[in-house]
Amino acid sequence: MHRFDHGGEPTLIDTFSDTAVNILWFPFLPIARATGIKGGGPAEWLLFSANSVLWGTVLYFLFASLWRRFTRSSETTTA
């Protein structure tokens, strides 16, 4: 909290976290701004849930494809 109180430079973790949040919020924020969705109403929760499902699906397929590639390469090197 010292950095916030005295205006210090952001650390590497702060910069990484800020970038990660901006990436993960990407589909949600432009759609919410374009449609005028504000506040904690049902529309915002629906959009937030859809954003979470989208990123969950993308990460699942990314990790699954990487896992398949890793297991295939380790099987060919041991055989």
Side-chain angles (χ1 to χ4, degrees):
M1 297 309 282
H2 183 269
R3 182 178 73 80
F4 293 111
D5 293 337
H6 301 295
E9 292 293 317
T11 63
L12 183 60
I13 293 173
D14 293 333
T15 305
F16 176 77
S17 300
D18 187 48
T19 303
V21 166
N22 288 335
I23 290 170
L24 292 174
W25 277 100
F26 167 67
F28 174 79
L29 287 179
I31 294 170
R33 287 183 189 131
T35 58
I37 297 174
K38 295 180 183 176
E44 183 173 317
W45 282 107
L46 181 64
L47 189 58
F48 179 76
S49 298
N51 186 48
S52 299
V53 169
L54 171 72
W55 279 109
T57 303
V58 167
L59 291 175
Y60 169 77
F61 283 112
L62 175 68
F63 286 127
S65 66
L66 290 174
W67 181 258
R68 275 186 250 121
R69 184 172 294 189
F70 174 73
T71 55
R72 271 192 224 136
S73 66
S74 65
E75 289 173 1
T76 58
T77 58
T78 59

Coordinates of all heavy atoms in Angstrom, one line a residue:
M1 N 0.8 -1.2 0.0 CA 0.0 0.0 0.0 C 0.9 1.3 0.0 O 0.4 2.3 -0.3 CB -0.9 0.0 1.2 CG -1.9 -1.2 1.2 SD -2.9 -1.3 -0.3 CE -4.0 -0.1 -0.2
H2 N 2.1 1.1 0.4 CA 3.0 2.3 0.4 C 3.1 2.9 -1.0 O 3.1 4.1 -1.1 CB 4.4 1.8 0.9 CG 5.4 3.0 1.0 ND1 6.2 3.3 -0.1 CD2 5.6 3.8 2.0 CE1 6.9 4.4 0.3 NE2 6.6 4.7 1.6
R3 N 3.1 2.1 -2.0 CA 3.2 2.6 -3.4 C 2.0 3.4 -3.8 O 2.1 4.5 -4.4 CB 3.3 1.4 -4.4 CG 3.5 1.9 -5.8 CD 3.6 0.7 -6.8 NE 2.4 0.0 -7.0 CZ 1.5 0.4 -7.8 NH1 1.6 1.5 -8.5 NH2 0.4 -0.3 -8.0
F4 N 0.8 3.0 -3.3 CA -0.4 3.8 -3.6 C -0.5 5.1 -2.8 O -0.9 6.1 -3.3 CB -1.7 2.9 -3.3 CG -1.8 1.8 -4.2 CD1 -1.7 0.5 -3.7 CD2 -2.1 1.9 -5.6 CE1 -1.8 -0.6 -4.6 CE2 -2.2 0.9 -6.4 CZ -2.1 -0.4 -5.9
D5 N 0.0 5.0 -1.6 CA 0.0 6.2 -0.8 C 1.0 7.3 -1.2 O 0.8 8.5 -1.1 CB 0.3 5.9 0.7 CG -0.8 5.0 1.3 OD1 -2.0 5.1 0.8 OD2 -0.5 4.3 2.3
H6 N 2.1 6.9 -1.8 CA 3.2 7.8 -2.1 C 3.5 7.9 -3.6 O 4.5 8.6 -4.0 CB 4.5 7.4 -1.4 CG 4.3 7.4 0.1 ND1 4.0 8.5 0.8 CD2 4.3 6.4 1.0 CE1 3.9 8.3 2.1 NE2 4.1 6.9 2.3
G7 N 2.7 7.2 -4.4 CA 2.9 7.4 -5.9 C 4.1 6.7 -6.5 O 4.7 7.2 -7.4
G8 N 4.5 5.6 -5.9 CA 5.7 4.9 -6.4 C 5.4 4.2 -7.8 O 4.2 4.1 -8.2
E9 N 6.4 3.7 -8.4 CA 6.3 3.0 -9.7 C 5.7 1.7 -9.5 O 5.9 1.0 -8.5 CB 7.7 2.9 -10.3 CG 8.3 4.2 -10.8 CD 7.5 4.8 -11.9 OE1 7.1 4.1 -12.8 OE2 7.3 6.0 -11.9
P10 N 4.9 1.2 -10.5 CA 4.3 -0.2 -10.3 C 5.4 -1.2 -10.4 O 6.4 -1.1 -11.2 CB 3.3 -0.2 -11.5 CG 3.7 0.8 -12.4 CD 4.4 1.9 -11.7
T11 N 5.2 -2.3 -9.7 CA 6.2 -3.4 -9.7 C 5.9 -4.3 -10.9 O 4.9 -4.1 -11.6 CB 6.1 -4.3 -8.4 OG1 4.8 -4.8 -8.4 CG2 6.3 -3.4 -7.2
L12 N 6.7 -5.3 -11.1 CA 6.5 -6.2 -12.2 C 5.2 -7.0 -12.0 O 4.4 -7.2 -13.0 CB 7.7 -7.2 -12.4 CG 7.6 -8.2 -13.5 CD1 7.6 -7.4 -14.8 CD2 8.8 -9.1 -13.4
I13 N 4.9 -7.4 -10.8 CA 3.6 -8.1 -10.5 C 2.4 -7.2 -10.8 O 1.4 -7.6 -11.4 CB 3.6 -8.6 -9.1 CG1 4.7 -9.6 -8.9 CG2 2.3 -9.1 -8.7 CD1 4.9 -10.1 -7.5
D14 N 2.5 -5.9 -10.4 CA 1.4 -5.0 -10.7 C 1.2 -4.8 -12.2 O 0.1 -4.8 -12.7 CB 1.7 -3.6 -10.1 CG 1.8 -3.6 -8.6 OD1 1.1 -4.4 -8.0 OD2 2.5 -2.7 -8.0
T15 N 2.3 -4.7 -13.0 CA 2.1 -4.6 -14.4 C 1.6 -5.8 -15.0 O 0.7 -5.7 -15.9 CB 3.5 -4.3 -15.0 OG1 4.1 -3.1 -14.4 CG2 3.4 -4.0 -16.5
F16 N 2.1 -7.0 -14.6 CA 1.5 -8.3 -15.1 C 0.1 -8.4 -14.8 O -0.7 -8.8 -15.6 CB 2.3 -9.4 -14.6 CG 1.8 -10.8 -15.0 CD1 2.1 -11.3 -16.2 CD2 1.0 -11.5 -14.1 CE1 1.6 -12.5 -16.6 CE2 0.5 -12.7 -14.5 CZ 0.8 -13.2 -15.7
S17 N -0.3 -8.1 -13.5 CA -1.7 -8.3 -13.1 C -2.6 -7.3 -13.9 O -3.7 -7.7 -14.3 CB -1.8 -8.0 -11.6 OG -1.1 -8.9 -10.9
D18 N -2.2 -6.1 -14.1 CA -3.0 -5.1 -14.9 C -3.2 -5.6 -16.3 O -4.3 -5.5 -16.9 CB -2.3 -3.8 -14.8 CG -3.1 -2.7 -15.5 OD1 -4.3 -2.6 -15.1 OD2 -2.6 -2.0 -16.3
T19 N -2.1 -6.1 -16.9 CA -2.2 -6.6 -18.3 C -3.1 -7.8 -18.4 O -4.0 -7.9 -19.3 CB -0.8 -7.0 -18.8 OG1 0.0 -5.9 -18.7 CG2 -0.9 -7.5 -20.2
A20 N -3.0 -8.8 -17.4 CA -3.9 -10.0 -17.4 C -5.4 -9.6 -17.2 O -6.2 -10.1 -17.9 CB -3.5 -10.9 -16.3
V21 N -5.6 -8.6 -16.3 CA -7.0 -8.2 -16.2 C -7.6 -7.5 -17.4 O -8.7 -7.8 -17.8 CB -7.1 -7.2 -15.0 CG1 -8.4 -6.5 -14.9 CG2 -6.9 -8.0 -13.7
N22 N -6.8 -6.7 -18.1 CA -7.2 -6.1 -19.3 C -7.5 -7.1 -20.4 O -8.5 -7.0 -21.2 CB -6.2 -5.1 -19.8 CG -6.1 -3.9 -19.0 OD1 -7.1 -3.5 -18.3 ND2 -5.0 -3.2 -19.0
I23 N -6.7 -8.2 -20.5 CA -6.9 -9.2 -21.5 C -8.2 -10.0 -21.2 O -9.0 -10.2 -22.0 CB -5.7 -10.1 -21.6 CG1 -4.5 -9.4 -22.2 CG2 -6.0 -11.4 -22.4 CD1 -3.2 -10.1 -22.1
L24 N -8.3 -10.4 -19.9 CA -9.5 -11.2 -19.5 C -10.8 -10.5 -19.6 O -11.8 -11.1 -19.8 CB -9.3 -11.8 -18.1 CG -8.1 -12.9 -18.1 CD1 -7.9 -13.3 -16.6 CD2 -8.4 -14.1 -18.9
W25 N -10.8 -9.2 -19.4 CA -12.0 -8.4 -19.4 C -12.3 -8.0 -20.9 O -13.4 -7.4 -21.1 CB -11.9 -7.1 -18.6 CG -12.2 -7.4 -17.2 CD1 -11.2 -7.5 -16.2 CD2 -13.4 -7.5 -16.5 NE1 -11.9 -7.7 -15.0 CE2 -13.2 -7.7 -15.2 CE3 -14.7 -7.4 -17.0 CZ2 -14.3 -7.8 -14.3 CZ3 -15.8 -7.5 -16.1 CH2 -15.5 -7.8 -14.8
F26 N -11.4 -8.2 -21.8 CA -11.6 -7.7 -23.2 C -13.0 -7.9 -23.8 O -13.6 -7.0 -24.2 CB -10.5 -8.2 -24.1 CG -10.8 -7.9 -25.6 CD1 -10.8 -6.6 -26.0 CD2 -11.1 -8.9 -26.4 CE1 -11.2 -6.3 -27.3 CE2 -11.5 -8.7 -27.7 CZ -11.5 -7.4 -28.2
P27 N -13.5 -9.1 -23.9 CA -14.8 -9.2 -24.6 C -15.9 -8.6 -23.8 O -16.9 -8.1 -24.4 CB -15.0 -10.8 -24.8 CG -13.7 -11.4 -24.5 CD -12.9 -10.4 -23.6
F28 N -15.8 -8.6 -22.5 CA -16.8 -8.1 -21.7 C -17.0 -6.6 -21.8 O -18.1 -6.1 -22.0 CB -16.6 -8.5 -20.2 CG -17.5 -7.9 -19.2 CD1 -18.8 -8.5 -19.1 CD2 -17.2 -6.9 -18.5 CE1 -19.7 -8.0 -18.2 CE2 -18.1 -6.3 -17.5 CZ -19.3 -6.9 -17.4
L29 N -15.9 -5.8 -21.6 CA -16.0 -4.4 -21.5 C -16.5 -3.7 -22.7 O -17.4 -2.8 -22.7 CB -14.7 -3.8 -21.0 CG -14.4 -4.0 -19.5 CD1 -13.0 -3.4 -19.2 CD2 -15.5 -3.5 -18.6
P30 N -16.0 -4.0 -23.9 CA -16.5 -3.3 -25.1 C -18.0 -3.6 -25.4 O -18.7 -2.7 -25.8 CB -15.7 -3.9 -26.3 CG -14.4 -4.4 -25.6 CD -14.8 -4.8 -24.3
I31 N -18.4 -4.8 -25.1 CA -19.8 -5.2 -25.3 C -20.7 -4.4 -24.3 O -21.7 -3.9 -24.6 CB -20.1 -6.7 -25.2 CG1 -19.4 -7.4 -26.4 CG2 -21.5 -7.0 -25.2 CD1 -19.3 -8.9 -26.3
A32 N -20.2 -4.4 -23.0 CA -21.0 -3.7 -22.0 C -21.1 -2.2 -22.3 O -22.1 -1.6 -22.1 CB -20.3 -3.9 -20.6
R33 N -20.0 -1.6 -22.8 CA -20.0 -0.2 -23.1 C -20.9 0.1 -24.3 O -21.7 1.1 -24.4 CB -18.6 0.3 -23.4 CG -17.8 0.5 -22.2 CD -16.4 1.0 -22.5 NE -15.6 1.0 -21.3 CZ -14.3 0.5 -21.3 NH1 -13.8 0.0 -22.5 NH2 -13.6 0.4 -20.3
A34 N -20.8 -0.8 -25.3 CA -21.6 -0.6 -26.6 C -23.1 -0.7 -26.3 O -23.9 0.0 -26.9 CB -21.2 -1.6 -27.6
T35 N -23.5 -1.6 -25.4 CA -24.9 -1.8 -25.1 C -25.4 -1.0 -24.0 O -26.6 -1.0 -23.7 CB -25.2 -3.3 -24.8 OG1 -24.4 -3.7 -23.7 CG2 -24.9 -4.2 -26.0
G36 N -24.5 -0.3 -23.3 CA -25.0 0.6 -22.2 C -25.3 -0.2 -20.9 O -26.0 0.3 -20.1
I37 N -24.8 -1.4 -20.8 CA -25.0 -2.2 -19.6 C -24.1 -1.6 -18.5 O -22.9 -1.6 -18.6 CB -24.7 -3.7 -19.9 CG1 -25.7 -4.2 -20.9 CG2 -24.8 -4.5 -18.6 CD1 -25.3 -5.6 -21.3
K38 N -24.8 -1.3 -17.4 CA -24.1 -0.7 -16.2 C -24.7 -1.3 -14.9 O -25.8 -1.7 -14.9 CB -24.1 0.8 -16.1 CG -23.5 1.5 -17.3 CD -23.6 3.0 -17.1 CE -23.0 3.7 -18.3 NZ -23.2 5.1 -18.3
G39 N -23.9 -1.4 -13.9 CA -24.4 -1.8 -12.6 C -24.5 -3.3 -12.5 O -24.0 -4.0 -13.4
G40 N -25.0 -3.8 -11.4 CA -25.0 -5.2 -11.1 C -26.3 -5.9 -11.4 O -26.7 -6.8 -10.7
G41 N -26.9 -5.5 -12.5 CA -28.2 -6.1 -12.9 C -28.0 -7.4 -13.6 O -26.9 -7.9 -13.9
P42 N -29.1 -8.0 -14.0 CA -29.1 -9.4 -14.6 C -28.3 -9.3 -16.0 O -27.7 -10.3 -16.3 CB -30.6 -9.7 -14.8 CG -31.3 -8.8 -13.9 CD -30.5 -7.6 -13.7
A43 N -28.4 -8.3 -16.7 CA -27.7 -8.2 -18.0 C -26.2 -8.2 -17.8 O -25.5 -8.9 -18.6 CB -28.2 -6.9 -18.8
E44 N -25.7 -7.5 -16.8 CA -24.3 -7.5 -16.6 C -23.8 -8.9 -16.1 O -22.8 -9.4 -16.5 CB -23.9 -6.5 -15.5 CG -22.4 -6.4 -15.3 CD -22.0 -5.3 -14.4 OE1 -22.5 -4.2 -14.6 OE2 -21.1 -5.5 -13.6
W45 N -24.6 -9.5 -15.2 CA -24.2 -10.9 -14.8 C -24.3 -11.9 -15.9 O -23.4 -12.8 -16.0 CB -25.1 -11.3 -13.6 CG -24.7 -10.6 -12.3 CD1 -25.4 -9.7 -11.7 CD2 -23.6 -10.9 -11.6 NE1 -24.7 -9.3 -10.5 CE2 -23.6 -10.0 -10.4 CE3 -22.5 -11.8 -11.7 CZ2 -22.6 -10.1 -9.5 CZ3 -21.5 -11.8 -10.7 CH2 -21.5 -10.9 -9.7
L46 N -25.2 -11.7 -16.8 CA -25.3 -12.7 -17.9 C -24.1 -12.5 -18.8 O -23.4 -13.4 -19.3 CB -26.6 -12.4 -18.7 CG -26.8 -13.3 -19.9 CD1 -26.9 -14.8 -19.5 CD2 -28.0 -12.9 -20.7
L47 N -23.7 -11.2 -19.1 CA -22.6 -10.9 -19.9 C -21.3 -11.4 -19.3 O -20.4 -11.9 -19.9 CB -22.5 -9.4 -20.2 CG -21.5 -8.9 -21.3 CD1 -21.7 -9.6 -22.6 CD2 -21.6 -7.4 -21.4
F48 N -21.2 -11.2 -18.0 CA -20.0 -11.6 -17.2 C -19.9 -13.1 -17.2 O -18.8 -13.7 -17.4 CB -20.1 -11.1 -15.8 CG -18.9 -11.5 -14.9 CD1 -17.7 -10.9 -15.0 CD2 -19.1 -12.5 -14.0 CE1 -16.6 -11.2 -14.2 CE2 -18.0 -12.9 -13.2 CZ -16.8 -12.2 -13.3
S49 N -21.0 -13.8 -17.1 CA -21.0 -15.3 -17.1 C -20.6 -15.8 -18.5 O -19.8 -16.7 -18.6 CB -22.3 -15.8 -16.7 OG -22.7 -15.4 -15.4
A50 N -21.1 -15.2 -19.5 CA -20.7 -15.6 -20.9 C -19.2 -15.3 -21.1 O -18.6 -16.2 -21.8 CB -21.5 -14.8 -21.9
N51 N -18.7 -14.2 -20.6 CA -17.3 -13.9 -20.7 C -16.4 -15.0 -20.0 O -15.4 -15.5 -20.5 CB -17.0 -12.6 -20.1 CG -15.5 -12.1 -20.3 OD1 -15.0 -12.2 -21.4 ND2 -14.9 -11.7 -19.3
S52 N -16.9 -15.4 -18.8 CA -16.2 -16.5 -18.1 C -16.2 -17.8 -18.8 O -15.2 -18.5 -18.9 CB -16.8 -16.6 -16.7 OG -16.7 -15.4 -16.0
V53 N -17.4 -18.2 -19.4 CA -17.5 -19.4 -20.1 C -16.6 -19.4 -21.4 O -15.9 -20.3 -21.7 CB -19.0 -19.7 -20.5 CG1 -19.1 -20.8 -21.5 CG2 -19.8 -20.0 -19.3
L54 N -16.6 -18.2 -22.0 CA -15.7 -18.1 -23.2 C -14.2 -18.3 -22.9 O -13.6 -19.1 -23.5 CB -15.9 -16.6 -23.8 CG -14.9 -16.3 -24.9 CD1 -15.2 -17.0 -26.2 CD2 -14.9 -14.8 -25.1
W55 N -13.7 -17.6 -21.8 CA -12.3 -17.8 -21.4 C -12.1 -19.2 -20.9 O -11.0 -19.8 -21.2 CB -11.9 -16.7 -20.4 CG -11.6 -15.5 -21.1 CD1 -12.3 -14.3 -21.1 CD2 -10.5 -15.2 -22.0 NE1 -11.7 -13.4 -21.9 CE2 -10.5 -13.9 -22.4 CE3 -9.4 -16.0 -22.4 CZ2 -9.6 -13.3 -23.3 CZ3 -8.4 -15.4 -23.3 CH2 -8.6 -14.1 -23.7
G56 N -13.0 -19.8 -20.2 CA -12.8 -21.1 -19.7 C -12.7 -22.1 -20.9 O -11.9 -23.0 -20.8
T57 N -13.5 -22.0 -21.9 CA -13.5 -22.8 -23.0 C -12.2 -22.7 -23.8 O -11.6 -23.7 -24.2 CB -14.7 -22.5 -24.0 OG1 -15.9 -22.7 -23.2 CG2 -14.7 -23.4 -25.2
V58 N -11.8 -21.4 -24.0 CA -10.5 -21.2 -24.7 C -9.4 -21.8 -24.0 O -8.5 -22.5 -24.6 CB -10.3 -19.7 -24.9 CG1 -8.9 -19.3 -25.3 CG2 -11.3 -19.1 -25.9
L59 N -9.3 -21.6 -22.7 CA -8.2 -22.1 -21.9 C -8.2 -23.7 -21.8 O -7.2 -24.3 -21.9 CB -8.2 -21.6 -20.5 CG -7.8 -20.1 -20.4 CD1 -8.0 -19.6 -18.9 CD2 -6.4 -19.9 -20.9
Y60 N -9.4 -24.3 -21.8 CA -9.5 -25.7 -21.8 C -9.0 -26.3 -23.1 O -8.2 -27.2 -23.1 CB -11.0 -26.1 -21.6 CG -11.2 -27.6 -21.9 CD1 -10.8 -28.6 -20.9 CD2 -11.7 -28.1 -23.1 CE1 -11.0 -29.9 -21.2 CE2 -11.8 -29.4 -23.4 CZ -11.5 -30.3 -22.4 OH -11.6 -31.7 -22.7
F61 N -9.4 -25.7 -24.2 CA -8.9 -26.3 -25.5 C -7.4 -26.0 -25.7 O -6.7 -26.8 -26.3 CB -9.7 -25.7 -26.7 CG -11.1 -26.4 -26.8 CD1 -12.2 -25.7 -26.5 CD2 -11.1 -27.7 -27.1 CE1 -13.5 -26.4 -26.6 CE2 -12.3 -28.4 -27.2 CZ -13.5 -27.7 -27.0
L62 N -6.9 -24.9 -25.2 CA -5.5 -24.6 -25.3 C -4.7 -25.6 -24.5 O -3.7 -26.2 -25.0 CB -5.2 -23.2 -24.8 CG -3.7 -22.8 -24.7 CD1 -3.2 -22.7 -26.1 CD2 -3.6 -21.5 -24.0
F63 N -5.1 -25.8 -23.2 CA -4.3 -26.8 -22.4 C -4.5 -28.2 -22.9 O -3.6 -29.0 -22.9 CB -4.8 -26.7 -20.9 CG -4.2 -25.5 -20.3 CD1 -5.1 -24.6 -19.6 CD2 -2.9 -25.1 -20.3 CE1 -4.6 -23.5 -19.0 CE2 -2.4 -24.0 -19.7 CZ -3.3 -23.2 -19.0
A64 N -5.7 -28.6 -23.4 CA -5.9 -29.9 -23.9 C -5.0 -30.2 -25.1 O -4.5 -31.2 -25.3 CB -7.4 -30.1 -24.2
S65 N -5.0 -29.2 -26.0 CA -4.1 -29.4 -27.2 C -2.7 -29.5 -26.9 O -1.9 -30.3 -27.4 CB -4.4 -28.3 -28.3 OG -4.0 -27.1 -27.8
L66 N -2.2 -28.6 -25.9 CA -0.8 -28.7 -25.5 C -0.5 -30.0 -24.8 O 0.5 -30.6 -25.0 CB -0.5 -27.5 -24.6 CG -0.5 -26.1 -25.2 CD1 -0.3 -25.0 -24.2 CD2 0.6 -26.1 -26.2
W67 N -1.5 -30.5 -24.0 CA -1.3 -31.8 -23.3 C -1.2 -32.9 -24.3 O -0.3 -33.8 -24.2 CB -2.4 -32.0 -22.3 CG -2.3 -33.3 -21.6 CD1 -2.9 -34.5 -21.8 CD2 -1.4 -33.5 -20.5 NE1 -2.5 -35.4 -20.9 CE2 -1.5 -34.9 -20.1 CE3 -0.5 -32.7 -19.8 CZ2 -0.8 -35.4 -19.1 CZ3 0.2 -33.3 -18.7 CH2 0.1 -34.6 -18.4
R68 N -2.0 -32.9 -25.3 CA -2.0 -34.0 -26.3 C -0.6 -33.9 -27.1 O 0.0 -34.9 -27.3 CB -3.1 -33.8 -27.3 CG -4.4 -34.5 -26.8 CD -5.5 -34.5 -27.9 NE -6.5 -33.6 -27.4 CZ -6.9 -32.5 -28.0 NH1 -6.5 -32.1 -29.1 NH2 -7.9 -31.7 -27.4
R69 N -0.2 -32.7 -27.4 CA 1.1 -32.6 -28.1 C 2.2 -33.0 -27.3 O 3.1 -33.7 -27.7 CB 1.3 -31.1 -28.5 CG 2.5 -30.9 -29.4 CD 2.6 -29.5 -29.9 NE 1.5 -29.4 -30.9 CZ 1.3 -28.3 -31.6 NH1 2.2 -27.4 -31.6 NH2 0.3 -28.3 -32.5
F70 N 2.2 -32.7 -26.0 CA 3.2 -33.1 -25.0 C 3.3 -34.6 -24.9 O 4.4 -35.2 -24.9 CB 3.1 -32.4 -23.7 CG 4.0 -32.9 -22.6 CD1 5.3 -32.5 -22.7 CD2 3.6 -33.7 -21.6 CE1 6.2 -32.9 -21.7 CE2 4.5 -34.2 -20.7 CZ 5.8 -33.8 -20.7
T71 N 2.1 -35.2 -24.7 CA 2.1 -36.7 -24.5 C 2.5 -37.4 -25.8 O 3.1 -38.5 -25.7 CB 0.7 -37.2 -24.0 OG1 -0.3 -36.7 -24.9 CG2 0.4 -36.7 -22.6
R72 N 2.1 -36.9 -26.9 CA 2.5 -37.5 -28.2 C 4.0 -37.4 -28.4 O 4.7 -38.4 -28.8 CB 1.8 -36.8 -29.4 CG 0.5 -37.4 -29.7 CD 0.1 -36.9 -31.1 NE -1.3 -36.5 -31.0 CZ -1.9 -35.5 -31.4 NH1 -1.2 -34.5 -32.0 NH2 -3.2 -35.3 -31.2
S73 N 4.6 -36.3 -28.1 CA 6.1 -36.1 -28.2 C 6.8 -37.0 -27.3 O 7.9 -37.5 -27.6 CB 6.5 -34.7 -28.1 OG 6.3 -34.2 -26.8
S74 N 6.3 -37.2 -26.0 CA 7.0 -38.0 -25.1 C 6.9 -39.5 -25.4 O 7.7 -40.3 -25.1 CB 6.5 -37.7 -23.7 OG 5.1 -38.1 -23.5
E75 N 5.7 -39.9 -26.1 CA 5.6 -41.3 -26.5 C 6.5 -41.6 -27.6 O 7.0 -42.7 -27.7 CB 4.1 -41.5 -26.9 CG 3.1 -41.6 -25.8 CD 1.7 -41.7 -26.2 OE1 1.5 -41.7 -27.5 OE2 0.8 -41.6 -25.4
T76 N 6.7 -40.7 -28.6 CA 7.6 -41.0 -29.7 C 9.0 -41.0 -29.3 O 9.8 -41.7 -29.9 CB 7.4 -39.9 -30.8 OG1 7.6 -38.6 -30.3 CG2 6.0 -40.0 -31.4
T77 N 9.4 -40.3 -28.3 CA 10.8 -40.3 -27.8 C 11.1 -41.5 -27.0 O 12.3 -41.9 -27.0 CB 11.1 -39.0 -27.0 OG1 10.3 -38.9 -25.9 CG2 11.0 -37.8 -27.9
T78 N 10.2 -42.1 -26.3 CA 10.4 -43.3 -25.5 C 10.3 -44.6 -26.3 O 10.8 -45.6 -25.9 CB 9.5 -43.4 -24.3 OG1 8.1 -43.4 -24.8 CG2 9.7 -42.2 -23.4
A79 N 9.6 -44.5 -27.5 CA 9.4 -45.7 -28.3 C 10.5 -46.1 -29.2 O 11.5 -45.5 -29.4 CB 8.1 -45.6 -29.1

